Amino acid sequence: MSLLTIGINHNTAPLALREKVAFGPEKLQDALKQLRMHNGVEGSVILSTCNRTELYCEVKPALKDQLIHWLSEFHQVDSQELNPSIYIHEEQEAIRHLMRVCCGLDSLILGEPQILGQVKQAYSESRELEAIDSSVDKLFQKAFSVAKRVRTETEIGGNAVSVAYAACTLAKHIFESLSDSTVLLVGAGETIELVARHLAANGCKHMMVANRTRERAMTLAQEFDAQVLRLQEIPDYLAQADIVITSTASPLPIIGKGMVEKAIKTRRYQPMLIVDIAVPRDVEAEVSEVNDVYLYSVDDLQSIVDSNIEQRKLEAIQAEAIVDEESTSFINWVRSLQAVDSIRDYRNSANQIREELLNKSLQALSSGGDPEKVLYELSYKLTNKLIHIPTRALQVAAEQGEPAKLAIIRQTLGLDDL
C-alpha cells in the first residue's frame, strides 16, 4: 500500500474548474462511501475548500489513474479539462504536502491559519464515516502536531497579511484592550465584514455599523450584536467611537475634518483611530491634521502588509525545514512497519528451532544422558540451525558474483563490526 495525494488548487486550476470539483456537504458523504468501497483503497480523506480539492488515500500504487478517473466521473467533468490541473504526490511527498497544507505553506495567503481548521474538519468527517485506516489516521495526527510545532517555533502566522487584519492589528497596538473600545464600522461589504470578524475574535464587544442600505447593515449587526446607523447619523455618534474603520464605495468623502474636530472636542480630546480602507477615500485627508486623531489610509496599511509578507517569507524558510525533518521522520516510521511481519516471522522461526532442540535435549537428560554432552550438542546444533540459511545466502551471493548483495548480508549479520 502507498500514501497518495491527488488534487487541484489555486496554483494549478482557475476558480471555475475548482468550483466544478468541489465536494459540498451534500456530496461529501457519498464520495467517502464510494472511496471506502473502492477495491484497493484502504483509507481516505477528502479536503475541499474554495482554493483546493484534494484526496488523501492509502492505496495500491496502480490505482492512481483510476482515482483520477473517479474524480472526473463523480463530478462529471471532462478528463481533458481536469487532467492538466491535477497533481499527484506519493509516499514522502504526499506526507510533506499535507504537512505544508496544514502549516499554511501552500495557501494563497502564506501562513494563514484557517486551513488547519478546514483540514481537521475534513479528517473528522472521514473518521465519523469510518473512511480512514490506521495509517491515514496517524498521518493526519502527525500533520496536526507539525502544524502546532511550526506555529510555536516560528512567526509564520504572526504578522497581518490582509488589509482587514492589519486594521485590527493596528487598533490593538494603539488601544490596550479592544473589549473596552467602541468601534464604528462604516460600510457593510465583504471587507468590513472581515474586519468585524477579526475585531470580535480579539474581544471587541461594542460595535456600530453605519451603511447606506439599512438591510445590509442589519444582517451584519445581528451577527455581532452591533448598533445600526444610517450614514446621515454618523456625526451624531462619531464622538462615541474610539476606533473608526471605513470601507464604502462612495465617490466622495463621508467623514470630514470639521465633523472629526467636533467629535474630538466632545470626547474631551481622548484619542481616536480612523482607518480608511476605501478607494476613493471615505475620510478627508485633512483629518490627519486634527490633534489626537490617528488617520491611516489603505496605502499605509498596504505597506504594513507588504512588510509582513516579507517577514512571513523569512519565517517560511524555517517552517519548510521543520516540515522536511518531520516528513522524513514519518516516512522512515512508515517504512519500518514493512519489516514488522518479517521480524515476527524470523523470530517465530528461531523460537521454533530453539524449542525443537530444547525438547530433544530435555528428553535426553530425562533418559539419563550426560548433562555436559547434552548441553554441548544443544549449543552445536542450535548454532548450525540458526546460521544455515544466512551461510547459504553468503555462498550464493559470492557464487553469483554479487558483491553488493554480499556486502548487505555481511552488514545485516554484523560481520563488518567484528
Side-chain angles (χ1 to χ4, degrees):
M1 303 301 288
S2 175
L3 291 168
L4 182 70
T5 300
I6 294 174
I8 67 171
N9 65 16
H10 57 279
N11 291 318
T12 68
L15 177 59
L17 180 56
R18 299 201 305 272
E19 288 175 335
K20 290 181 181 179
V21 295
F23 289 90
E26 72 285 351
K27 293 182 178 180
L28 185 61
Q29 187 170 341
D30 183 37
L32 286 170
K33 286 181 179 178
Q34 287 188 26
L35 285 174
R36 186 176 61 186
M37 295 169 61
H38 199 295
N39 185 31
V41 177
E42 293 296 323
S44 56
V45 172
I46 297 175
L47 174 62
S48 186
T49 72
C50 59
N51 285 328
R52 70 182 66 244
T53 290
E54 295 175 336
L55 312 178
Y56 293 90
C57 307
E58 186 180 21
V59 301
K60 294 177 180 177
L63 285 184
K64 287 184 292 185
D65 291 339
Q66 290 185 37
L67 285 177
I68 295 173
H69 179 71
W70 172 85
L71 183 63
S72 175
E73 288 290 307
F74 186 90
H75 291 290
Q76 297 183 339
V77 177
D78 191 323
S79 59
Q80 291 186 345
E81 180 184 7
L82 179 61
N83 288 0
S85 298
I86 289 281
Y87 48 81
I88 301 172
H89 301 301
E90 299 178 71
E91 293 296 275
Q92 185 171 353
E93 280 306 307
I95 295 165
R96 184 174 179 273
H97 180 76
L98 176 60
M99 291 179 178
R100 293 186 76 251
V101 169
C102 287
C103 295
L105 292 169
D106 195 56
S107 295
L108 182 61
I109 299 176
L110 181 64
E112 60 93 2
Q114 288 83 2
I115 186 62
L116 179 58
Q118 293 169 326
V119 176
K120 287 183 175 181
Q121 179 65 29
Y123 161 78
S124 297
E125 289 168 341
S126 290
R127 277 199 75 169
E128 289 173 7
L129 291 172
E130 299 180 346
I132 60 175
D133 66 344
S134 61
S135 294
V136 174
D137 183 56
K138 287 182 171 61
L139 169 61
F140 274 77
Q141 292 293 342
K142 183 63 174 178
F144 299 152
S145 70
V146 171
K148 182 178 180 181
R149 180 185 169 191
V150 166
R151 295 286 168 181
T152 301
E153 297 182 17
T154 76
E155 291 296 326
I156 187 71
N159 302 290
V161 291
S162 73
V163 170
Y165 189 26
C168 297
T169 302
L170 194 60
K172 283 181 4 184
H173 283 318
I174 293 177
F175 292 89
E176 185 175 343
S177 171
L178 292 185
S179 62
D180 299 326
S181 303
T182 298
V183 179
L184 170 60
L185 302 174
V186 183
E190 185 178 337
T191 301
I192 287 295
E193 182 178 352
L194 190 56
V195 168
R197 293 190 189 285
H198 286 311
L199 289 169
N202 284 279
C204 182
K205 301 174 184 176
H206 311 290
M207 294 189 220
M208 299 180 287
V209 181
N211 193 51
R212 193 176 307 279
T213 307
R214 185 176 178 84
E215 291 75 18
R216 175 61 185 150
M218 283 293 296
T219 302
L220 191 61
Q222 287 172 357
E223 183 176 351
F224 300 100
D225 194 25
Q227 181 180 354
V228 176
L229 307 177
R230 296 191 304 274
L231 290 182
Q232 300 92 307
E233 296 179 290
I234 290 176
D236 300 327
Y237 288 87
L238 187 59
Q240 298 179 23
D242 303 299
I243 302 164
V244 180
I245 302 177
T246 175
S247 178
T248 76
S250 174
L252 298 172
I254 295 172
I255 298 175
K257 181 180 180 182
M259 186 192 305
V260 175
E261 284 177 331
K262 184 178 178 181
I264 283 294
K265 186 175 181 180
T266 303
R267 288 171 59 82
R268 297 186 178 180
Y269 302 98
Q270 293 181 39
M272 176 187 292
L273 168 66
I274 302 178
V275 182
D276 185 2
I277 307 176
V279 179
R281 297 181 186 184
D282 282 336
V283 181
E284 289 180 349
E286 291 76 13
V287 168
S288 62
E289 301 169 3
V290 180
N291 290 334
D292 301 305
V293 173
Y294 302 91
L295 174 63
Y296 290 83
S297 69
V298 69
D299 286 345
D300 298 324
L301 291 188
Q302 192 59 52
S303 66
I304 295 173
V305 168
D306 291 343
S307 173
N308 288 347
I309 287 174
E310 291 305 312
Q311 185 60 39
R312 282 199 178 189
K313 287 179 180 177
L314 292 176
E315 295 295 326
I317 296 173
Q318 184 183 350
E320 294 280 11
I322 292 173
V323 167
D324 287 342
E325 173 195 333
E326 294 282 8
S327 62
T328 300
S329 173
F330 189 81
I331 193 61
N332 288 341
W333 173 79
V334 170
R335 288 168 179 164
S336 73
L337 297 180
Q338 298 172 1
V340 170
D341 290 343
S342 298
I343 292 170
R344 184 182 62 247
D345 292 343
Y346 183 61
R347 186 178 294 275
N348 289 339
S349 175
N351 277 327
Q352 187 176 347
I353 293 171
R354 178 187 62 81
E355 289 175 2
E356 178 185 335
L357 294 176
L358 179 60
N359 288 333
K360 289 181 179 180
S361 298
L362 291 173
Q363 289 174 7
L365 288 172
S366 64
S367 299
D370 181 8
E372 185 176 345
K373 184 179 179 181
V374 170
L375 285 175
Y376 177 81
E377 288 184 357
L378 171 63
S379 64
Y380 180 77
K381 290 179 179 178
L382 182 60
T383 300
N384 280 343
K385 285 273 189 179
L386 291 177
I387 71 171
H388 172 70
I389 294 177
T391 300
R392 183 60 188 149
L394 287 166
Q395 290 173 336
V396 170
E399 290 170 358
Q400 295 180 351
E402 296 180 313
K405 188 175 181 180
L406 185 63
I408 291 173
I409 298 172
R410 284 184 58 86
Q411 183 183 23
T412 303
L413 296 174
L415 298 180
D416 293 341
D417 296 332
L418 298 179

